[in-house]
Each structure stands twice: as C-alpha cells, then as structure tokens.
Amino acid sequence: MKRILIVFLLFISVFSYAQQTDYVDFLKCEALIHFKPDSSKVYAEGKYILKILKDVDSVFLDAKDFKFNMMLPYYWENNAFRYSHDGSKIWMIGDFKKDNSYDFWFEYQATPKKALYFVKRNNESQIWTQGQGKYTSNWLPSIDDVNDKIEFDLYVTSDENFEVIANGKLTDKQYYDSTITWYYNMQKPMSSYLVALVIGKYNKKTETSKSGIPLEYYYYPEDSLKVEPTYRYSKQIFDFLEEEIGFAYPWQNYKQVPVHDFLYAGMENTSCTIFSDAFVVDSIGFNDKNYVNVNAHELAHQWFGDLVTATSGEHHWMQEGFATYYALLAERDIFGDNHYYFKLYESSVDLGRQDLAGEGTSLLDPKSSSLTFYQRGAWVLHALRSLVGDDVFKKAVKSYLEKHQFTTVETSDFIQEVERFYGKSLEQFVNVWIKQEDFPVDAAFGLLQNESTFINEYLMVDCQAKTSKCEEYLKYYVSDEAKVKVISQMPELVTNDTFKHGFKVRQAISQYVRQIPKEIKENYETLLDDKSYITIENALYNLWTSFPEDRAKYLSKTRNVVGFNDKNVRLLWIALNLNTPFYQADNKQGLFEELVSYTYERYNADLRMNAFNYLKLMNACNDACKSNLEEAKSHHNWRMVKFAKDMLEKLEDKQ
Ligand SMILES: [Zn+2]
C-alpha cells in the first residue's frame, strides 16, 4: 500500500509540469464490450497500443470508478510494469522508453452514472452514449483531454434481437448462442469524446452519396412511414457539404441514429450521429419541426470538430460556429436565400439583445453562451466570406483542413490560412468580430441590408412605428415573414382575406388571434385542416374557448389527431374533452386514465412533462401521477429532473 503511495506521488510530480500528450501518444484501442442491461453494468476487455514520445515512468488513462481485474503490459518482462487505479485514472507504471511502442491489456467492469445510458422505450431496452461534456471514460478507459486522438475499434456483444451501431465500419458479425458480436472498425483517430455506441431495436435505410460514401438512416421498426420526412434532404445535404467544403468526407461511412430521451438535439460522434427521436416526424410534423438543420449541423461537425478539433474551450466556436454556418449554407441550398438571410437576421437580433442585457462576451471566452458560440461564430464566417470573397474563403477552408486533419486547432490556425490567401492582415476584423465583447450588430445589419432586399423589406415593415400602411401590408406584396410580423404586432388587423396567404401566415393567425371575432370564425375553423400540428393545437384551443356552443363539433373533428412525439394535439384534446361535460360523457374515466398513463417512465420526457402539466392545470395529479413524478427525479435528463422537483414542490405548497 505504502509503496504504491510513494510511486503515486512521484509520477504526479512529473505531470504537474507537462501535458501527458508531450510524453505519450495513445494510438489504438480495441475493446470487446458487453452489457447487462437490467443491472446497468458494462463488462469489457481489450488492448491499448501506445507510443512513447519522451522517456517517462508512468502513463495514464482516464477511467472513472472502474473495477479492474487486470491491466498488464502485453510483453510482460520481469515485473517491469505495474498498474494502479485511483478511482478516476488507471496508471501504468514502469520504465517507458522514448520511441518504443507498448501494448497492454485491460479487463474491467463499470456501472456508469453518465456518458452511457440504459433507457426503456415502450418497455424495450435501449443503450446509448453521449461523450461530449460527460466523458467517455465513465464507461471506456480513454483520454478526457481532446488532444490525444485514438483509433477506437469497438466489438460489441448484444442479444440477437438488437442492432448495434458504433463508429466506423461494420466488418463482421459473429453469432453465438442467442447473441451477436458486432465488429466495428475505424481507420483514423479521433478524440475520445466522439466514441459512440447505440444498442436498440432498429431498421435502416441506406443510400450512397455522390462520392460513394454509404449513408445509413436508422429508424424504429414501427416508423417506416416516417423515414422519408425525417431524413428528407439528407443526401442533398451530404453532397452539398462535401462539395462546398471542398475536402472529401473523411470517414468510412455516415450513420444517423435517433434515440429515446436524448440529452440534446444531436451529437456529432465520428461517422455516427446520434439525435433525439423527437425529430422523427411524419410529413405534417416535418412542416413544423424538422431535422434538416440538426442533420446538416451534425454532418458539418464531421469535418469541423471531428476531423479538426478545438484544443480547448477558448476555441469552441471553431466547432459550433463552423457547424452552424455550414448548416445554414446547406439550408440555403434547400430553402433559398431568403431563408438564409432571415435566420442570420434573427440571430443578429438575439445577439444584440444579449449585449443589451450585459451578457455579451468575446467569442474566445470559454464561458460564452451557446448563442455566442453557435450564432456569433456563424456570423464571423459569413462576415469574413463577405470581406475576402468566395474564392479566398473556400481555398482557405480547404487548406486549413488539409494542414490540420486528424489533429487539434486554434483560432489562429484558421485565420492565418485566410490571411495567406487574402494577402492582407485580418487583425482589425478579428478584433471586431471575434475578440471584442459586443457583437458588431451595426456591421451585421449593414451586411444584411447590402445583401438582401428581402431583409430590407422586412425591416421597413413595422407596425409599432407606423400603423397607416399595416392593413395594406397584410393584403399585398410583402413577404409572408413580414406579414407574420404585422400579425404579431396588430392581430386585430386580420380579416377573412388574410387566411388566403401561406402556411406561416396562417400559423401566425392561430398564434396571435386568440379571441376570435365572429366575422372570421368560418375561415378560422379551416385552420384545423392545416398541415401543421402547431396550428391545429392553437386553433383547437382558441376555437374551443371562443365558441362554447360548437365545442362538440371541434372535438369531433380533431379526435384522431395525435401531433408530434409529445402528442401535443392529443393531450390538449383530452384536456378539453374532460372539460366539456356533455361531450362523450361515458368515456371520461378512460380518457383521464390515458392522460395519467403518459406520465409513466416508458414514455419520452417531453410527453411526460406535457401530461404532468395538464394534470396539474386540472388539479388532478393523483397517486400514480405523484409516484411517477417522484420517480422522474432520478431521470438522466436534467430538464425532466428539474421539472419533477419544481412540480412536486408546488403540489406540496398547495396541500
Ligand atoms: Zn454542434
């Protein structure tokens, strides 16, 4: 015991003066992994290969709370090496010599508290990972520091009914008893936070990109009709980005997998994006809440984040800003220039507001908000391209990726590359757009006004300043976005004519005209037929409250509409039905039970929170509802946890 302690102190001292990456390069990890879903345990064994860059007496891997059975150098000589585990790191101790390579084996079990999640979906097990911000080292020995890139080959054993999806290419499947071992192979290295694994019930659809890369779209077996709307434009986005970035997609294939109760919208694991199944939509849901932007954003990260990775939080925008910008370009390719400029306009307004609230930061501040990292980052690239021109911009991006591929980067690596092709200093630009705290909102508006007549018109239409023209705007030539602005400012101007305009205008009517005047009642009722679950939800509620005599009619018309994955329309429909005493009087108990059933663990967090909210509104959170709330306090998603705690507190206050 004592001896280990002395050795321990000794090697701590070596590393207090230098990064481990100066001494050692971990090259490759091969791990054979299996799970016990019901016990939430991971069992694994495998091999690491590393190369020593400078003589050193110890190296470590991050490994949180593992039970190691052994960790032995592959060529075990005269007890020259030992290992020690301190709860967060596994240390290999011995006489490591410069330029030598070493292999060692490991075997362990772990019960990860985060980064790998065991969830239930419709009573079926699903396992998925999230490495960024959570550390892969909670379930696989790896390096928390992004700066050592490793080739990870995962071999995963699962029950034969499940699909296993991981980084890289599936090279083999071996059947044994009622299990299958899936062999995934990577050819290139990546930072540990990008390791991914999903196990669940899935089917998949495959396409091939223009350049020959296999594109794999995973979906739940019952969702075959949602595959097309969910993954709409995927191949177009892929082909567009590969061409636009000018650097061939760097991995063997590209997989996208929806998972239950994911922590974020999506995560760009190398060659294997995991995204929230809330984005799995039918063709109506596509109009309201589609996956296109997240799809393009995570794909762009395969270059900006995965191929080149920011060294530290200070340069985080090199990932998020680039992914946001290239997603916007992909959306421009699909939805057109006006869409592109409108999104830039919206983000400049948000950034301006952030500054007014005194919350603006330099883009290089690691504590910046997501708004800054993502949207200001994207703005930097838009403004830079406007300054230096398409040709210089594209050459610089390509050259930057070529130079730094499979390594880590800082802001200056990119700026230097642009300066080289531009032939002039960008110091002034960097000071204004990247370094200073305030977002240069005037310069941004100047660019928008120079480049987009659509934005000029949008800015001109303002019914808070001058009202005389606003009636005209609703009738004539201005864009639908401008009409939406008028409706939001003066909903009383909506007439029967206004309903003739497009989807967005009609949605705005449902959103802002809440007390419905009799004169537009008939047209308003047609909103219940719109191809939008948001419009239908708003319209149903507003019609039900405005015209009590017609409640039965509205409920009958919408009784089969479910809505998004959070069943937004269905839940509203149940709540309204329960509050319409004369309508389907004998079915009330069944509907109430249905509402309560949506609070159980097997449903997704958004649906559960929706159901809890309605029960709270109706003052009807019964014992089952309360016990589900109690259980939700230990959910893996912090939003669900916070929601459950808040609601329980409020319920207790009432008693
Ligand atoms: Zn991102």
Side-chain angles (χ1 to χ4, degrees), residues 304-305 310 315-323 400 409-411 414:
F304 306 102
H315 306 285
H316 191 50
W317 82 277
M318 303 292 292
Q319 296 177 183
E320 296 309 340
F322 274 74
Y400 159 74
V409 288
E410 300 193 342
T411 303
F414 175 64

Side-chain angles (χ1 to χ4, degrees), residues 132 266-268 297-298 301 304 316 319-321 323-324 374:
Q132 190 170 37
M267 176 63 206
E268 67 273 19
H297 179 104
E298 307 309 339
H301 271 310
F304 306 102
H316 191 50
Q319 296 177 183
E320 296 309 340
T324 305
Y374 289 62

Side-chain angles (χ1 to χ4, degrees), residues 168-267:
K169 187 177 170 185
L170 180 67
T171 55
D172 196 12
K173 274 162 84 174
Q174 299 215 344
Y175 296 77
Y176 179 75
D177 263 352
S178 57
T179 68
I180 304 177
T181 301
W182 303 62
Y183 290 79
Y184 276 93
N185 171 268
M186 283 289 290
Q187 287 175 336
K188 300 285 185 184
M190 62 179 168
S191 300
S192 300
Y193 77 93
L194 294 165
V195 174
L197 186 59
V198 180
I199 302 179
K201 294 267 168 82
Y202 290 99
N203 289 347
K204 77 172 167 186
K205 185 179 173 248
T206 308
E207 283 187 300
T208 306
S209 79
K210 218 182 195 174
S211 59
I213 299 288
L215 311 175
E216 300 181 359
Y217 314 135
Y218 285 85
Y219 60 94
Y220 301 137
E222 68 273 22
D223 283 344
S224 58
L225 294 176
K226 295 182 178 173
V227 178
E228 187 283 320
T230 301
Y231 287 109
R232 194 174 294 170
Y233 303 122
S234 286
K235 180 172 147 37
Q236 182 179 339
I237 294 169
F238 193 97
D239 292 339
F240 171 80
L241 282 186
E242 214 177 14
E243 169 94 34
E244 171 66 35
I245 293 167
F247 184 103
Y249 177 79
W251 316 102
Q252 296 134 294
N253 56 28
Y254 187 53
K255 302 170 285 288
Q256 296 177 81
V257 196
V259 300
H260 180 66
D261 271 346
F262 197 47
L263 302 170
Y264 308 105
M267 176 63 206

Side-chain angles (χ1 to χ4, degrees), residues 284-285 287-288 499 501-510 523-537 539 557 561:
I284 296 178
N287 298 325
D288 293 317
F499 287 87
H501 299 293
F503 174 88
K504 285 181 194 158
V505 176
R506 291 172 63 89
Q507 189 164 79
I509 296 174
S510 81
N523 267 311
Y524 205 106
E525 287 170 348
T526 66
L527 295 177
L528 293 176
D529 296 315
D530 274 21
K531 301 271 180 242
S532 160
Y533 292 131
I534 295 174
T535 305
I536 294 172
E537 184 187 354
K557 189 169 171 54
V561 187

Side-chain angles (χ1 to χ4, degrees), residues 271-289:
S271 79
C272 182
T273 283
I274 293 177
F275 67 99
S276 162
D277 64 11
F279 287 107
V280 175
V281 291
D282 60 18
S283 54
I284 296 178
F286 177 88
N287 298 325
D288 293 317
K289 188 163 80 173

Side-chain angles (χ1 to χ4, degrees), residues 34 106 123 149 167 191 325 348 374 395 506 538 653:
H34 69 277
F106 55 84
N123 295 325
K149 295 198 173 191
N167 312 92
S191 300
Y325 175 68
S348 64
Y374 289 62
K395 278 183 182 151
R506 291 172 63 89
N538 290 335
D653 285 350

